[in-house]
């Protein structure tokens, strides 16, 4: 339903074993709260991303439940400890059931 | 308990005072706006010769809080770059009866590097000063045969943001002599004319009182090198003519329309006041 949804993720390409790295994610999404009305006074139906997860080699890093008060284009910045080389996978789940995914590899030197 | 609370409050006050001092320090120091560790932006420069009352020109970035400044220093965090990404997709989107796109003539956005720095500029065939928006619409209507884009609409503003983004770091250098001079003079006239019930000219705030507070707002020099600007107050990219409109409205005057000859002249004049600063758009301001 939501148009032009583009996930963006920034993860360092490499890290030392056990290093704590910073991950930044941003997804363009209108995050319609369901509280606003259009010009005719009709309620604009809620359309938000209600869940965001990040996993490293299948193991959950964070799992966020998101509510209607979150602004347009939600941005998350968090940290993760990287024990070995692997892949971060990011998943956003929309109210309409669609999922948006992205993944980034990281090499441990 | 009360005692503890009071101490807590005092600490908060101290913290605030500390950060205010830091902010002032940042303004006094050399400019250090570097985007993504790559693009160096000149935020302070000697004023161009035509400016009689100002000796140094300063980008609006210098007047914002350290937090807002930091957002612009990283393209990933700059929400204006979302608009740039949209425009990048739009750049190769077909429009009009022949399915023309920007990319049909211009290959890629990077080929337009430098354009933002010299607009508005004189157009010989049209016999008038053209803004970048007018130039884009000329391409859209005359070259692609499509319907003109809304002058300050999202699509236009995002495209201008894209064209600006590839010129970031280049010095603003609009021509004010030759055939453009009468338009520039008209813009200067508007800049120094008091408008509205409050009888305020652009110069009253942005030349006489920059760096002072107007109620809760920290006045800048009103430079437009950072447009289109992502404003935290409305959460979107703002076109320069919309900003002019907002300023004139705040004087309680009937404003000129975005895209009108008056605002085009004013844009040329205000842009020329920033000759020497870097192109910054899309910048982040409050």
């Amino acid at each position: 339903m939501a148009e032009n949804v583009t996930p963006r993720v920034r993860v360092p390409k490499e890290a030392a074993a056990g290093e704590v790295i910073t991950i930044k994610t941003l997804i363009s999404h209108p995050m319609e709260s369901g509280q606003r009305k259009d010009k005719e006074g009709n309620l604009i139906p809620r359309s938000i991303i209600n869940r965001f997860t990040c996993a490293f080699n299948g193991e959950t890093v964070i799992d966020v439940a998101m509510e209607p008060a979150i602004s347009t284009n939600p941005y998350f910045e968090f940290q993760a400890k990287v024990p070995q080389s692997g892949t971060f996978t990011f998943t956003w789940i929309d109210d309409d059931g669609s999922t948006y995914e992205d993944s980034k590899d990281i090499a441990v030197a | 308990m009360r005692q503890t609370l009071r101490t807590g409050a005092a600490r908060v006050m101290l913290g605030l005072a500390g950060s205010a001092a830091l902010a002032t320090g940042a303004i006094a120091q050399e400019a250090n706006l570097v985007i993504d560790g790559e693009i160096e932006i000149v935020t302070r420069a000697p004023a161009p010769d035509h400016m009689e009352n100002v000796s140094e020109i300063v980008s609006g970035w210098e007047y914002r809080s350290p937090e807002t400044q930091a957002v612009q220093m990283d393209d990933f965090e700059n929400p204006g770059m979302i608009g740039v990404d949209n425009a990048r997709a739009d750049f190769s989107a077909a429009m009009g009866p022949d399915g023309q796109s920007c990319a049909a003539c211009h290959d890629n956005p990077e080929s337009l590097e430098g354009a933002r720095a010299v607009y508005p500029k004189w157009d010989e065939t049209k016999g008038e000063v053209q803004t970048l928006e007018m130039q884009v619409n000329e391409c859209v209507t005359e070259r692609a045969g499509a319907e003109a884009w809304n002058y300050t609409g999202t699509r236009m503003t995002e495209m201008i943001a894209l064209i600006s983004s590839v010129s970031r770091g280049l010095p603003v250098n609009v021509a004010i002599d030759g055939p453009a001079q009468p338009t520039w003079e008209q813009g200067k006239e508007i800049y120094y004319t008091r408008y509205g019930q409050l009888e305020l000219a652009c110069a009253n705030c942005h030349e006489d009182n920059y760096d002072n507070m107007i109620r809760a707002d920290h006045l800048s020099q009103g430079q437009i090198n950072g447009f289109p600007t992502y404003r935290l107050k409305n959460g979107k990219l703002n076109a320069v003519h919309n900003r002019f409109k907002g300023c004139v409205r705040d004087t309680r005057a009937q404003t000129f329309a975005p895209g009108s000859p008056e605002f085009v002249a004013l844009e040329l004049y205000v842009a020329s006041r920033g000759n020497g600063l870097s192109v910054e758009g899309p910048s982040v301001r409050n």
Side-chain angles (χ1 to χ4, degrees), chain A residues 4 6 8-10 24-26 28 73 75 77, chain B residues 36 74-77 79 81-83 85-86 230:
Chain A
N4 285 332
T6 318
R8 297 163 176 82
V9 175
R10 182 184 282 176
K24 296 175 177 181
T25 75
L26 186 151
S28 49
N73 308 332
Y75 171 88
E77 180 177 328
Chain B
D36 275 357
D74 184 348
D75 274 351
F76 193 89
E77 289 181 34
M81 295 309 285
I82 294 172
D85 284 351
N86 292 343
Y230 182 89

Side-chain angles (χ1 to χ4, degrees), chain B:
Chain B
M1 184 66 191
R2 233 176 228 169
Q3 190 59 45
T4 328
L5 272 175
R6 267 200 206 127
T7 327
R11 277 208 193 109
V12 171
M13 296 272 287
L14 277 173
L16 279 174
S19 63
L22 274 177
T24 324
I27 285 174
Q29 282 164 15
E30 266 308 291
N32 48 4
L33 171 52
V34 180
I35 297 167
D36 275 357
E38 283 173 6
I39 311 168
E40 290 185 20
I41 302 285
V42 175
T43 54
R44 283 172 182 274
D49 293 337
H50 67 81
M51 285 168 75
E52 294 139 18
N53 310 319
V54 177
S55 56
E56 186 184 39
I57 50 175
V58 184
S59 162
W61 181 81
E62 294 273 0
Y63 298 98
R64 301 284 68 97
S65 68
E67 296 82 3
T68 311
Q69 291 181 331
V71 175
Q72 198 186 323
M73 293 169 80
D74 184 348
D75 274 351
F76 193 89
E77 289 181 34
N78 181 346
M81 295 309 285
I82 294 172
V84 170
D85 284 351
N86 292 343
R88 204 171 272 276
D90 205 14
F91 199 81
S92 46
M95 56 187 159
D98 307 326
Q100 294 269 10
S101 70
C102 306
C105 297
H106 297 292
D107 292 335
N108 55 43
E110 280 69 24
S111 69
L112 295 168
E113 182 181 341
R116 174 73 273 182
V118 294
Y119 273 85
K121 76 169 186 186
W122 178 258
D123 184 307
E124 201 56 55
T125 26
K126 296 273 175 182
E128 62 177 2
V129 169
Q130 281 202 321
T131 60
L132 202 49
E133 282 92 340
M134 289 157 84
Q135 182 60 59
V136 168
N137 256 341
E138 189 181 314
C139 287
V140 169
T141 56
E142 293 176 24
R143 173 78 202 180
E147 210 170 302
W149 296 356
N150 180 351
Y151 195 92
T152 52
T154 306
R155 193 178 191 189
M156 176 66 86
T157 308
E158 289 182 344
M159 186 56 73
I160 302 299
L162 171 64
I163 298 170
S164 299
S165 72
V166 298
S167 291
R168 282 181 301 176
L170 298 175
V172 176
N173 185 22
V174 296
I176 61 171
D177 49 1
Q181 197 180 355
T183 311
W184 181 81
E185 299 280 359
Q186 185 195 357
K188 185 174 183 180
E189 174 86 24
I190 293 172
Y191 191 86
Y192 286 102
T193 302
R194 291 173 181 267
Y195 287 96
Q197 286 181 315
L198 298 181
E199 299 195 343
L200 287 169
C202 306
N204 292 131
C205 289
H206 298 295
E207 184 168 287
D208 304 341
N209 281 299
Y210 65 87
D211 212 5
N212 289 339
M213 301 299 284
I214 180 166
R215 296 183 70 121
D217 293 325
H218 193 185
L219 282 171
S220 74
Q221 285 188 347
Q223 296 287 358
I224 57 171
N225 60 315
F227 277 86
T229 289
Y230 182 89
R231 297 192 70 189
L232 304 173
K233 91 174 228 180
N234 59 11
K236 61 171 187 157
L237 280 167
N238 291 258
V240 64
H241 284 201
N242 265 347
R243 190 67 193 84
F244 287 165
K245 189 177 155 189
C247 261
V248 180
R249 184 205 56 216
D250 289 348
T251 71
R252 300 193 186 167
Q254 287 284 336
T255 79
F256 301 110
S260 63
E262 289 85 358
F263 271 173
V264 172
L266 184 61
E267 180 177 344
L268 174 61
Y269 177 69
V270 178
S272 79
R273 291 175 69 94
N275 274 355
L277 294 174
S278 299
V279 174
E280 261 182 57
S283 62
V284 182
R285 305 282 189 262
N286 49 359

